[in-house]
Each structure stands twice: as C-alpha cells, then as structure tokens.
C-alpha cells in the first residue's frame, strides 16, 4: 500500500465464489481508502482474508465504486480509528481531523502518522472513519477551531520567493 | 501585571468574514472571503463575485486585507454574494492603495515599446515644468536672502 497524492474513497463488494455446497454465499462490503480501483480491490482482499476465511483465489468482486462526499464544501470533524505496527509492537489509535471530505481526513492521517510516529502506510490499517458530532469531539486542538469566534493573527510571514535574489538592501516585511 | 491584548497589535486577523487576496495558485490575484476556519494551516474560502469556487486554501497562499464582511460561519454562496454587493466590496477594494498599485503594474505590463516612449517624453515634460517653477522659487529665495544679508551688514 502506498499513499500517492490524495486518496479516494471506494466501496468494495465481494464474496466467496458460489459453489455446489454454497450456492448463495454472503456478500461483504468494505469502505476502502486507496489511490485507485486496483489497490482498493487488493486492499479489500487483504482485509477480508484476515477477517473471514476467504481468499482472492476463491472469491469474486461484485462491485467497486467510487464514493463521493455528500457535502464537500462544509468543514467537518472526522474521527479515524486505526491499528498500526510500530518498531516495538501493535497499537490501536483514535485520531481526529478537521477536513472537507473523509478521503482527505484519511490522507492527512497517513501523513500525520508518518510525521509523528514514522509509521509507513504499509503498517497502518484504517479500521473506521466516521464524522464526529461537535459535542463528541475529544481532541483539544480540534475543539479550539470549532469555537464560534475563532480569530488569530498570522504573526511572522516570511515570503519565500523563488527566482528572486537572496540578498537585498531592503528589510523584508513579515507582518501585514 | 498589564494584560496585553495580542489581537490589538494586529489589525488583520484570520477570522470568518475576513476578505483575502489570493497570492498564489490558479485563482491568483482574485479576492475571496474566509467562510470557515479548518485548522491552523487552512481555511475555507469563497469568492462568488470574483469567480473563486468554494475551496480550502492554506494561509501561505493568501494575503489578508483590512476588510471584514459581517457574515455567519459557513454562509452559503448565494447569501455571501448578496452581502458582498451590499457592502460594496468591489468599490472599497478599488479605492485601496494596494489595488491601485496592482492596477498600475498591470497597465505597465500591457504597454508597448512606443507607449513606454510616450511615458518617457511625458515624464521629461513634467520634470521640465517642475524644474522651471523650482528655479524661479529658488531665485526669489536667494535674492531675499542676499537682501537680508546686506541689511545686516549696513547695521
């Protein structure tokens, strides 16, 4: 599993291939965050074979569809439950993100895990992603941006201009 | 202990309703409004009058202006357009030195070689007029000075 760019949300439906003993096997669906359809299906089998006794060799994908966000222009808080393998053991985690879509929340979760815990995407399993109601939000950093009158200055703004001489006779303006 | 209000030091803060100028990206040079604050790095902006579709943007890509619209958090695009028109944001923005500077820069960029030559000639003519007036004043000032000096010498 690799996280290139922004992830997309897929809903994958699959089941064991019908046989003489079981003509109508149960269908399983899974919400998968992946780069493309191919890796979404691959991820589906990865999770399913650890949860149920079904492998890709004896199974079939019924549908794999892209899931769009209902309101992609509204800021929401997403809770992400995950399991990851660190250098010393396996941990379960709950993290919160303020984003416009669930896919963006999961993408920034992978980035955050990489930054804070040096966790690679291959060692992270997303268990559950859910929009959290305002009164159920736990993390103080997320809570402070939900207040009705959030206001803060942008104190020290360094203008990184490429293709401009590094040295100048004028002092840069960092506040405005 | 004196309680220092940090926000009073800054006349421009990130807040819902703050009008921003987009400095980088595909919507560069357009005006928009902060509709909601996502986190410490990004905000949700909308610019119905300038053709900016509602989207998230990093604070590094925007410059804050001194204008603020009286809007509610997460206001819809339609209502925002009305507030924008009611507050006459276009006129207010056009009146700022910032907008004028941008405008003049755009004009200068659009000029041809001949246009630049005309500006050169016009500037020369203007300087000539100013210098003439200046020299006249200088001459009169000098003469008055010398007369004063001569008076002093007589005393």
């Amino acid at each position: 599993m690799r996280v290139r760019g922004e992830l997309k949300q897929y809903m994958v439906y699959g089941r064991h291939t019908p046989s003489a003993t079981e003509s109508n096997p149960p269908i399983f669906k899974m919400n998968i965050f992946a780069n493309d359809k191919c890796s979404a299906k691959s991820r589906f089998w990865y999770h399913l074979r650890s949860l149920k006794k079904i492998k890709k060799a004896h199974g079939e994908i019924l549908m794999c569809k892209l899931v769009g966000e209902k309101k992609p222009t509204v800021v929401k808080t997403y809770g992400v439950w995950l399991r990851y393998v660190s250098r010393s053991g396996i941990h379960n985690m709950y993290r919160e993100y303020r984003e416009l879509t669930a896919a963006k929340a999961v993408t920034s979760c992978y980035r955050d895990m990489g930054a804070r815990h040096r966790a690679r995407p291959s060692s992270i399993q997303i268990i559950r992603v859910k929009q959290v109601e305002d009164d159920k939000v736990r993390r103080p950093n997320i809570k402070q941006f939900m207040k009705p009158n959030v206001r803060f200055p942008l104190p020290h703004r360094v203008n990184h201009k490429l293709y401009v001489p590094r040295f100048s006779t004028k002092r840069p303006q960092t506040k405005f | 202990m004196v309680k220092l209000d940090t926000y009073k030091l800054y006349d421009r803060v990130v807040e819902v309703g703050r009008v921003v100028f987009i400095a980088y990206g595909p919507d560069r040079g357009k005006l928009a409004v902060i509709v909601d604050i996502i986190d410490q790095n990004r905000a949700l902006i909308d610019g119905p009058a300038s053709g900016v579709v509602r989207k998230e943007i990093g604070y590094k890509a925007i410059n804050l202006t001194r204008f603020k619209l009286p809007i509610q958090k997460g206001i819809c695009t339609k209502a925002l357009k009305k507030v924008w028109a009611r507050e006459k944001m276009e006129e207010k923005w056009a009146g700022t030195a910032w907008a004028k500077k941008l405008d003049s820069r755009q004009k200068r960029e659009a000029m041809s070689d001949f246009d630049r030559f005309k500006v050169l000639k016009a500037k020369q003519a203007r300087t000539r007029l100013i210098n003439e007036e200046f020299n006249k004043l200088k001459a009169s000032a000098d003469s008055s000075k010398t007369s004063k000096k001569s008076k002093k010498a007589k005393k």
Side-chain angles (χ1 to χ4, degrees):
Chain A
M1 167 97 188
R2 283 178 69 192
V3 181
R4 274 171 267 114
E6 202 170 280
L7 293 171
K8 298 181 194 88
Q9 188 178 355
Y10 292 96
M11 188 64 95
V12 189
Y13 296 78
R15 65 172 178 178
H16 197 286
T17 33
S19 58
T21 49
E22 197 174 22
S23 58
N24 198 13
I27 301 169
F28 298 99
K29 72 167 182 178
M30 215 180 275
N31 232 333
I32 301 281
F33 295 90
N35 279 309
D36 46 51
K37 260 186 177 177
C38 259
S39 44
K41 285 180 204 168
S42 160
R43 215 60 196 151
F44 172 79
W45 289 123
Y46 168 81
H47 286 299
L48 198 65
R49 72 167 178 262
S50 60
L51 295 165
K52 300 280 165 191
K53 207 170 156 40
I54 306 169
K55 286 206 293 182
K56 192 191 172 191
H58 305 290
E60 59 183 8
I61 298 268
L62 299 172
M63 190 161 64
C64 175
K65 63 171 180 184
L66 197 65
V67 180
E69 191 73 22
K70 268 184 188 160
K71 288 180 178 174
T73 54
V74 178
V75 184
K76 289 148 288 210
T77 309
Y78 290 96
V80 179
W81 285 260
L82 61 97
R83 172 186 181 275
Y84 91 101
V85 184
S86 77
R87 281 169 205 168
S88 49
I90 297 167
H91 311 271
N92 287 319
M93 228 182 234
Y94 167 72
R95 307 183 74 80
E96 279 172 356
Y97 295 94
R98 256 171 87 76
E99 292 285 348
L100 298 174
T101 67
K104 277 182 183 172
V106 174
T107 312
S108 47
C109 179
Y110 273 107
R111 303 275 177 260
D112 201 31
M113 286 301 290
R116 289 179 203 276
H117 301 284
R118 304 289 177 271
R120 316 288 183 256
S122 56
S123 64
I124 299 171
Q125 295 174 353
I126 304 290
I127 298 168
R128 189 171 166 225
V129 179
K130 207 191 158 205
Q131 193 187 325
V132 190
E133 296 299 317
D134 282 4
D135 55 335
K136 300 263 169 62
V137 173
R138 297 186 218 168
R139 302 289 177 252
N141 185 41
I142 300 294
K143 272 185 192 167
Q144 67 179 349
F145 290 107
M146 288 161 40
K147 284 178 195 164
N149 296 316
V150 190
R151 58 201 299 276
F152 53 89
L154 300 173
H156 188 73
R157 310 197 74 193
V158 180
N159 204 351
H160 294 287
K161 274 185 187 166
L162 290 170
Y163 319 120
V164 162
R166 174 151 291 186
F167 299 102
S168 168
T169 51
K170 268 198 292 182
R171 268 170 177 273
Q173 207 183 0
T174 56
K175 175 184 141 326
F176 56 86
Chain B
M1 213 180 94
V2 182
K3 206 184 166 191
L4 197 71
D5 189 356
T6 356
Y7 299 120
K8 277 185 181 167
L9 297 172
Y10 295 89
D11 54 344
R12 293 159 197 202
V13 291
V14 173
E15 61 192 322
V16 171
R18 176 66 55 185
V19 178
V20 297
F21 176 81
I22 302 171
Y24 301 100
D27 284 324
R28 187 179 172 165
K30 290 178 188 170
L31 279 187
V33 185
I34 294 180
V35 175
D36 204 343
I37 290 162
I38 300 176
D39 58 20
Q40 65 270 38
N41 297 317
R42 292 162 303 147
L44 185 69
I45 58 160
D46 200 354
S50 53
V52 180
V53 283
R54 186 174 283 228
K55 62 170 186 181
E56 61 168 273
I57 197 164
Y59 298 133
K60 278 182 184 174
I62 55 176
N63 294 341
L64 306 175
T65 70
R66 63 181 155 94
F67 301 112
K68 196 200 161 193
L69 294 181
I71 56 164
Q72 272 194 328
K73 192 167 142 182
I75 190 174
C76 69
T77 310
K78 219 173 167 183
L80 180 65
K81 203 171 184 177
K82 274 183 192 168
V83 178
W84 184 277
R86 198 184 65 212
E87 295 287 318
K88 291 174 184 163
M89 264 325 295
E90 296 294 330
E91 283 173 37
K92 278 182 188 171
W93 169 247
T96 57
W98 188 352
K100 282 174 191 164
K101 209 181 273 178
L102 284 173
D103 192 40
S104 70
R105 194 183 292 165
Q106 264 178 358
K107 273 181 190 160
R108 215 175 299 145
E109 274 171 6
M111 276 198 313
S112 66
D113 193 37
F114 183 51
D115 289 333
R116 278 191 287 276
F117 179 72
K118 282 196 278 192
V119 169
L120 170 84
K121 283 290 163 193
K123 271 187 179 174
Q124 279 175 346
R126 187 183 65 180
T127 323
R128 202 172 295 133
L129 285 173
I130 291 169
N131 281 348
E132 269 173 24
E133 284 301 309
F134 177 71
N135 288 335
K136 270 182 207 167
L137 286 170
K138 203 181 171 190
S140 65
D142 283 349
S143 63
S144 65
K145 243 184 206 174
T146 47
S147 60
K148 267 181 191 174
K149 268 186 187 172
S150 58
K151 270 178 192 173
K152 269 184 185 174
K154 273 176 189 173
K155 272 178 188 174

